[in-house]
Amino acid sequence: AKDAGRNTYRYVTEQLNSDSLEFMRITHELREAVKCKQFTVHFQPQIELATGDVVGAEALVRWNHPVEGLIPPGRFISIAEQTGLIVEIGEWVLHEACRQAMAWRRAGMPPLLMAVNMSAVQFKRGNVENLVRGALESSGLEAQYLEIELTESILLHDMDHMLSLLNNLKDIGLKLAIDDFGTGYSSLAYLKKFKIDRLKIDQSFVRDIASDPNDAAIVRAIVQMAHTLNLRVIAEGVENQEMLHYLSSCQCDEVQGYHFAKPMPPDAFAAFILGRKSE
Ligand code: C2E
Ligand code: CA
Ligand code: CA
Ligand code: CA
């Protein structure tokens, strides 16, 4: 048993060493990526259930690696957060998303809500209010067409600070959404205090809607309570007709997921919108 313990220990340290090498390698490359702007933003449509219209787009960053090609955010966001590089990456993403929103508008596309993810680290280390003002000003996008997605844990962390920070953002006129809702600990009543506009029901609840009666009940309850508090609800990870059907029976306001479209480069997104309009 002792040997097993020692082996486990050795295994763990080897794991840590190779992980930290990998960590340093990626950190180094990520610094380069920030310098050389090796990022790109894809957009995933958000569809209003009542009308079937595309009413929004979520901006999702990808790393355009010179050797490896497009790297999904799941492989670098966490490291970017740990190293603080997320502040610069996030700045770039917000500017790019606002710029793209205005480019689409100028090309004659109907106005969409542009939803941009913001990490807790950006709120801690960056000046989000200045960043937002800057991005709106340089793009010309009106604040009402911008939504910031944040997670519940940010709100719980430094409540008073976040309350004043988010109030300042609301004063600019933008919208606030809670991402991955249901996976954290916040109550709905408490969200109201933060002037949240919209909840995004986490994919994990949507995934098993058809097979897990608990998840189905949770989703229905979230929508009902959110509506009581005048919050809109969007479900993410909607992959099939069955999920869509259940969500619409719950009066969920909007949906997003592979059933409609994957996140796409700007041109493909524009083509998708055009295609739907001519249907
Ligand atoms: P998220 O904000 O929860 O974004 C939703 C993720 O689910 C996206 O993955 C999207 O492509 C994926 N998705 C959309 N529809 C479906 C579906 O029907 N089924 C399934 N299985 N997945 C679906 P993606 O683009 O790989 O992004 C992963 C995460 O990386 C995001 O999760 C978000 O937390 C983070 N992220 C992405 N872009 C940014 C960014 O600009 N800033 C920050 N801070 N985080 C970002
Ligand atoms: Ca999100
Ligand atoms: Ca999410
Ligand atoms: Ca997530």
Side-chain angles (χ1 to χ4, degrees):
K2 249 183 205 161
D3 273 0
R6 206 153 26 222
N7 282 339
T8 307
Y9 173 74
R10 199 172 74 194
Y11 174 73
V12 168
T13 46
E14 275 167 8
Q15 272 290 101
L16 281 176
N17 285 336
S18 73
D19 280 358
S20 60
L21 275 180
E22 177 75 353
F23 184 91
M24 286 191 293
R25 186 183 65 81
I26 299 182
T27 304
H28 173 74
E29 292 193 358
L30 210 47
R31 283 224 171 80
E32 287 300 306
V34 169
K35 243 189 268 163
C36 309
K37 306 228 158 38
Q38 291 168 3
F39 297 99
T40 181
V41 184
H42 284 188
F43 299 90
Q44 189 177 34
Q46 302 180 329
I47 289 102
E48 185 175 61
L49 272 176
T51 57
D53 290 344
V54 177
V55 290
E58 179 175 6
L60 294 152
V61 71
R62 274 94 182 89
W63 177 2
N64 205 346
H65 191 279
V67 180
E68 291 185 51
L70 274 198
I71 299 180
R75 278 181 51 205
F76 67 88
I77 290 290
S78 158
I79 293 178
E81 288 179 331
Q82 291 169 65
T83 54
L85 288 167
I86 192 67
V87 174
E88 283 172 79
I89 297 172
E91 275 178 30
W92 183 84
V93 170
L94 184 67
H95 274 272
E96 183 57 20
C98 293
R99 189 199 61 73
Q100 186 57 250
M102 274 314 276
W104 281 331
R105 283 275 283 286
R106 292 202 184 94
M109 235 159 84
L112 299 175
L113 186 64
M114 178 58 74
V116 180
N117 293 283
M118 209 157 273
S119 154
V121 177
Q122 288 178 269
F123 283 99
K124 259 183 250 153
R125 296 214 210 165
N127 186 332
V128 173
E129 194 185 332
N130 278 354
L131 167 62
V132 165
R133 286 186 192 282
L136 292 174
E137 214 171 275
S138 69
S139 64
L141 185 70
E142 302 100 311
Q144 59 174 316
Y145 295 116
L146 177 64
E147 181 171 77
I148 302 292
E149 295 191 2
L150 38 111
T151 52
E152 294 164 86
S153 55
I154 303 182
L155 306 182
L156 297 168
H157 190 253
D158 195 351
M159 254 226 247
D160 292 338
H161 177 64
M162 280 308 288
L163 198 57
S164 76
L165 220 158
L166 294 182
N167 277 338
N168 292 346
L169 288 183
K170 284 300 293 179
D171 288 342
I172 299 175
L174 50 70
K175 306 215 157 52
L176 295 176
I178 299 296
D179 206 356
D180 305 341
F181 186 77
T183 58
Y185 299 96
S186 49
S187 73
L188 284 162
Y190 163 88
L191 288 179
K192 210 44 204 172
K193 204 169 109 174
F194 281 99
K195 300 190 183 157
I196 300 298
D197 298 283
R198 177 153 87 149
L199 302 182
K200 296 194 80 171
I201 299 183
D202 190 62
Q203 315 194 351
S204 60
F205 296 110
V206 177
R207 193 177 303 133
D208 300 325
I209 253 177
S211 59
D212 186 336
N214 287 328
D215 284 353
I218 288 169
V219 166
R220 191 176 290 276
I222 290 175
V223 175
Q224 280 171 357
M225 286 190 287
H227 284 171
T228 311
L229 294 166
N230 278 318
L231 298 166
R232 281 183 310 126
V233 183
I234 179 166
E236 54 182 348
V238 179
E239 294 185 351
N240 56 48
Q241 190 65 43
E242 215 175 357
M243 294 174 180
L244 184 62
H245 186 259
Y246 182 76
L247 288 162
S248 90
S249 84
C250 294
Q251 320 279 290
C252 185
D253 303 284
E254 287 124 29
V255 284
Q256 177 181 346
Y258 297 167
H259 180 63
F260 299 94
K262 292 197 168 177
M264 301 168 274
D267 288 355
F269 184 93
F272 176 84
I273 301 273
L274 263 173
R276 280 179 77 86
K277 265 172 63 182
S278 61
E279 255 169 31

